[in-house]
Amino acid sequence: MQLPFKVSLRAHDIACQRGGRTLFQGLSFALAPGEALLVSGPNGAGKTSLLRQIAGLLPLADGQLAATGPDDTPLAELCHYVAHADAAKSALSVRENLAFWANYLEGGESGLAQALNAFGLNPLADLPAGLLSAGQKRKLALSRLFASPRPIWLLDEPSVSLDAASVKRLDAAIRDHLKAGGIALVSSHVPLKTRFAHELALGLERAA
């Protein structure tokens, strides 16, 4: 998968508030092309919120997020975000679900073919997504990463429900993305073989 271009990502003193509670503040990090960040912390520490902020789905309470690249493409459009929810339409087939994402992300027919091949979903292409197992639905969600190349991957517990062989395939996909000059931010409780250049441990804000 050929990336359109390489970018760097920088966070400066960012903060997140949910429901009137500060999850984190003063958070800064920088990622160069080919680097990955492992985000860890207890439930409720803000791991998902951080990824959603980068994806443009949650506003910053403070600070700045910026991506530097060869043009002025908005940060959100540089990202693939795979969340806890698999975002699959149950009544549509595997192929139809991925065709939607390939068209939406402007990946076209080649993007659809890559998405179907990425996690071996071709044999299930005509099966309604509602009949898939939890692991197969997770592979369907992860296959969106290949529907169109984007330089920043935001992966929230990507290995949930995957079998050992699929976790290996996920590891390989992340490594290949980094080798191509991409960036990955991964929240995971399951050990991955991906080589993370940086680690970020989030902790719950406690009242004094």
Side-chain angles (χ1 to χ4, degrees):
M1 184 170 59
Q2 184 68 37
L3 289 177
F5 48 78
K6 299 177 183 179
V7 302
S8 298
L9 176 64
R10 182 178 296 275
H12 178 68
D13 282 343
I14 63 173
C16 179
Q17 292 183 346
R18 301 296 303 273
R21 185 166 64 97
T22 298
L23 299 184
F24 56 78
Q25 59 187 349
L27 190 66
S28 299
F29 59 83
L31 296 173
E35 291 188 335
L37 172 69
L38 177 64
V39 184
S40 62
N43 292 338
K47 302 184 297 296
T48 294
S49 294
L50 171 61
L51 298 185
R52 288 176 60 83
Q53 285 180 323
I54 298 170
L57 301 174
L58 190 66
L60 294 174
D62 199 4
Q64 293 182 330
L65 280 167
T68 57
D71 61 20
D72 295 325
T73 303
L75 174 57
E77 295 183 16
L78 300 173
C79 299
H80 272 311
Y81 174 50
V82 178
H84 286 288
D86 293 320
K89 292 290 186 181
S90 298
L92 298 182
S93 69
V94 169
R95 187 190 308 277
E96 289 168 336
N97 270 282
L98 290 176
F100 167 81
W101 288 109
N103 290 331
Y104 179 75
L105 298 170
E106 300 181 351
E109 288 297 321
S110 62
L112 173 58
Q114 289 187 37
L116 282 168
N117 287 329
F119 285 88
L121 292 179
N122 262 311
L124 306 176
D126 297 319
L127 194 68
L131 298 182
L132 299 179
S133 68
Q136 290 168 337
K137 288 179 181 178
R138 195 58 180 163
K139 288 190 281 187
L140 175 57
L142 290 167
S143 294
R144 299 201 311 267
L145 298 168
F146 298 86
S148 179
R150 289 192 170 185
I152 301 174
W153 285 7
L154 308 171
L155 309 180
D156 197 354
E157 298 292 347
S159 61
V160 168
S161 300
L162 293 182
D163 57 24
S166 297
V167 172
K168 288 182 179 180
R169 186 170 290 195
L170 170 63
D171 261 318
I174 297 173
R175 288 197 301 269
D176 288 345
H177 179 65
L178 298 178
K179 287 178 182 178
I183 285 173
L185 292 89
V186 183
S187 167
S188 179
H189 288 103
V190 176
L192 297 172
K193 292 184 179 179
T194 301
R195 185 173 182 178
F196 292 95
H198 308 277
E199 294 190 18
L200 178 64
L202 297 179
L204 290 170
E205 292 288 333
R206 299 183 183 275

